[in-house]
Amino acid sequence: MGRSDYQSWGRYPRARQTVRRIHWMTDRLDSGGTDGSLLPYGLGRSYGDSCLNDGGILLDTSLLDRFISFDPEHGILQCEAGVALADILEVAVPKGWFLPVTPGTKFVTVGGAIANDVHGKNHHRAGTIGCHTRKFELVRSSGERIACSQTENPEWFGATIGGLGLTGLIAWAEIRLKRIRSAYLDVETIRFGNLEEFFSLSAESDRDFEYTVAWVDCFSGGDSRGRGLFMRGNHAETGPSAGSGPERSRARLMTIGFDAPEFLLNDSLMKVFNGLYFRRQREKRSRKLLHYEPFFYPLDAVGQWNRLYGKRGFFQYQCVLPAGGDREAARDILKTVAKSSPGVYLAVLKIFGDVKSPGALSFPRPGLTLALDIPNRGRPAFALMDRLDTIVRNARGAVYPAKDARMSADSFEAYFPQWHDFSRYLDPGFSSSFWRRVTGDRQVNR
Ligand SMILES: Cc1cc2nc3c(=O)[nH]c(=O)nc-3n(C[C@H](O)[C@H](O)[C@H](O)COP(=O)(O)OP(=O)(O)OC[C@H]3O[C@@H](n4cnc5c(N)ncnc54)[C@H](O)[C@@H]3O)c2cc1C
């Protein structure tokens, strides 16, 4: 065991914790004679403090990276929980299989993906990763091992999917992959002028397109408030396989090896950048065959891009606004962020569908989700997110714990009232910085 400053992707807050590497699925989860609480850690791609355990122990799962079995007829993959989605893609795509659900980075582990019940651009069709998870083994700090599936210990299955790593350690999992015929996607990009157009495009696209998502320019106001680019796509039916074709898989272009000075990314520059990005597509619609990497993981091309935000890091404020009240609330949010400083440097919109996850504490619900990147400029950034919380709470929405670093215990209570029931499944030896903050539990260590 050693002390280390493992961080989350947003680099706020900072935490000091002891790190213990898990070598084998059969390892016992003791705290090494200390009284620190435990928390599994995948690749730290959560933005806030749900993967941090200040003053406690992190169980680094990156060595649990072995494949266990693969059924090539049905696409059923069993692997240890520290296997990264990138590793699965590398072996599965050439054989004609793809992840059933993927977040916007492939550098997340299977265990981390299940613990946050991640969603992707196909949520309206496929729901979350929990909907494609067949079984897993949960290891408790007591040494107990619980086999979990829809039929075996289903209450533990439901508590652990989206359970924020607090019910125990997922040692291995079995997920069902999806068939593809090509490593490419047939992608259409459509320019839209405002929020109303975004909603019409979503309604028109969600039936025929497996993947939909939109980028929005949060600096634009007036008639063009909510303008952006709508992307929709399907896996190509025929065409090049992995590693060939017009838009090949992109290797990493560069890695940011230093903390950029804060003045580098500022409101004026980002306003210009967003305007240029909107205009990068001259025509109303464009269509092309795109390799899955630039389509699903455009940001992965730049290693450690989070360092561009400087030492203080940044926040991603991701909320969901339930269908019905989503238009009004989304308008309020866009109006609020357009006036604010710091502004929102990058914004993504997506309509969630109604495919229900087995996860008890899962974040997605039918409606509109907005993910807003905000630089950490101290008090003004916090004040902005507090204003957004008021809008989200009034709309009976929720904020995504995987991205959160600052929501209050009251907000968490409003967004996830089911946490009281969920807490029956907490492992008494486990805790996280996030959990202590949002449940008002100040007891850091046992
Ligand atoms: C660029 C980028 C884009 C993203 N896009 C999306 C997106 O589109 N949709 C989305 O849903 N999320 C998205 N995310 C968030 C990311 O997918 C999640 O935070 C994911 O859970 C991170 O996985 P990880 O392996 O890095 O886990 P960590 O961040 O290290 O941990 C996440 C949680 O999982 C728990 N955990 C980790 N391993 C285990 C285990 N073996 N057993 C039990 N619990 C465990 C941890 O305790 C923690 O609570 C994005 C993140 C980035 C950086």
Side-chain angles (χ1 to χ4, degrees), residues 243-420:
S244 59
E247 276 263 2
R248 222 164 277 189
S249 150
R250 274 189 296 180
R252 185 159 276 178
L253 296 176
M254 61 164 143
T255 291
I256 309 296
F258 60 95
D259 295 328
E262 266 182 21
F263 63 79
L264 188 74
L265 293 192
N266 58 59
D267 287 5
S268 319
L269 180 78
M270 293 313 289
K271 187 173 178 173
V272 173
F273 174 82
N274 274 263
L276 288 174
Y277 192 78
F278 178 70
R279 281 183 214 98
R280 97 193 157 130
Q281 172 157 312
R282 295 231 172 106
E283 62 279 30
K284 173 84 179 155
R285 284 167 197 256
S286 74
R287 202 174 155 179
K288 67 173 165 178
L289 208 54
L290 206 56
H291 189 272
Y292 75 83
E293 299 245 17
F295 180 70
F296 289 108
Y297 314 115
L299 293 169
D300 284 349
V302 180
Q304 295 183 25
W305 59 263
N306 52 345
R307 299 186 76 176
L308 286 171
Y309 281 93
K311 271 205 177 70
R312 282 200 284 177
F314 72 115
F315 303 96
Q316 187 174 95
Y317 185 90
Q318 183 171 357
C319 61
V320 56
L321 306 167
D326 49 358
R327 288 174 193 238
E328 197 53 45
R331 251 179 254 126
D332 280 355
I333 287 182
L334 290 183
K335 227 184 267 175
T336 305
V337 300
K339 285 191 301 221
S340 87
S341 178
V344 166
Y345 289 5
L346 182 71
V348 172
L349 261 59
K350 152 102 200 128
I351 297 287
F352 280 154
D354 56 8
V355 184
K356 195 159 168 35
S357 165
L361 217 58
S362 194
F363 159 71
R365 46 204 86 178
L368 171 70
T369 186
L370 296 95
L372 313 171
D373 285 8
I374 300 165
N376 182 4
R377 298 287 184 264
R379 223 177 265 176
F382 283 85
L384 168 62
M385 291 183 282
D386 286 347
R387 287 199 293 281
L388 299 182
D389 270 344
T390 305
I391 301 171
V392 176
R393 282 173 67 162
N394 287 341
R396 300 186 178 282
V399 167
Y400 192 8
K403 310 285 179 76
D404 180 67
R406 35 64 59 194
M407 77 167 91
S408 67
D410 283 350
S411 288
F412 185 67
E413 176 76 39
Y415 301 148
F416 296 93
Q418 71 274 35
W419 78 265
H420 295 282

Side-chain angles (χ1 to χ4, degrees), residues 11-173:
R11 306 176 79 213
Y12 176 89
R14 297 295 169 114
R16 293 290 290 169
Q17 46 238 323
T18 304
V19 175
R20 187 181 147 203
R21 302 195 96 183
I22 303 291
H23 293 87
W24 300 101
M25 291 193 292
T26 47
D27 284 1
R28 276 188 65 85
L29 307 182
D30 56 63
S31 54
T34 72
D35 59 357
S37 62
L38 307 171
L39 183 73
Y41 185 89
L43 286 169
R45 264 15 183 226
S46 299
Y47 280 71
D49 55 359
S50 65
C51 61
L52 301 178
N53 190 15
D54 197 28
I57 298 167
L58 284 186
L59 303 171
D60 179 339
T61 60
S62 56
L63 295 177
L64 289 183
D65 60 354
R66 288 156 284 230
F67 289 98
I68 299 169
S69 65
F70 182 59
D71 167 358
E73 207 170 313
H74 303 101
I76 294 171
L77 172 77
Q78 211 177 77
C79 63
E80 292 181 342
V83 167
L85 301 189
D87 300 328
I88 298 178
L89 291 166
E90 206 172 302
V91 296
V93 173
K95 291 190 165 58
W97 294 98
F98 201 74
L99 297 163
V101 163
T102 177
T105 172
K106 60 182 178 167
F107 300 117
V108 317
T109 62
V110 168
I114 295 172
N116 273 325
D117 199 14
V118 300
H119 57 270
K121 297 179 173 69
N122 60 350
H123 184 273
H124 60 287
R125 286 274 186 88
T128 59
I129 193 76
C131 302
H132 308 271
T133 302
R134 288 162 51 90
K135 47 175 129 157
F136 51 78
E137 184 182 59
L138 186 67
V139 186
R140 305 269 289 173
S141 60
S142 60
E144 188 188 2
R145 290 176 176 261
I146 308 176
C148 303
S149 72
Q150 292 275 16
T151 51
E152 212 174 347
N153 301 306
E155 68 286 9
W156 288 98
F157 185 69
T160 301
I161 293 174
L164 301 166
L166 296 166
T167 60
L169 178 93
I170 301 167
W172 57 264

Side-chain angles (χ1 to χ4, degrees), residues 191-210:
R191 233 173 48 182
F192 58 91
N194 54 46
L195 206 53
E196 285 312 308
E197 270 188 61
F198 161 80
F199 278 109
S200 315
L201 276 168
S202 281
E204 162 200 321
S205 309
D206 282 0
R207 205 194 53 217
D208 297 331
F209 291 86
E210 182 161 2

Side-chain angles (χ1 to χ4, degrees), residues 162-185:
L164 301 166
L166 296 166
T167 60
L169 178 93
I170 301 167
W172 57 264
E174 189 174 286
I175 55 174
R176 189 197 297 271
L177 304 183
K178 79 175 253 104
R179 261 257 174 251
I180 50 167
R181 292 182 206 285
S182 158
Y184 287 75
L185 291 106

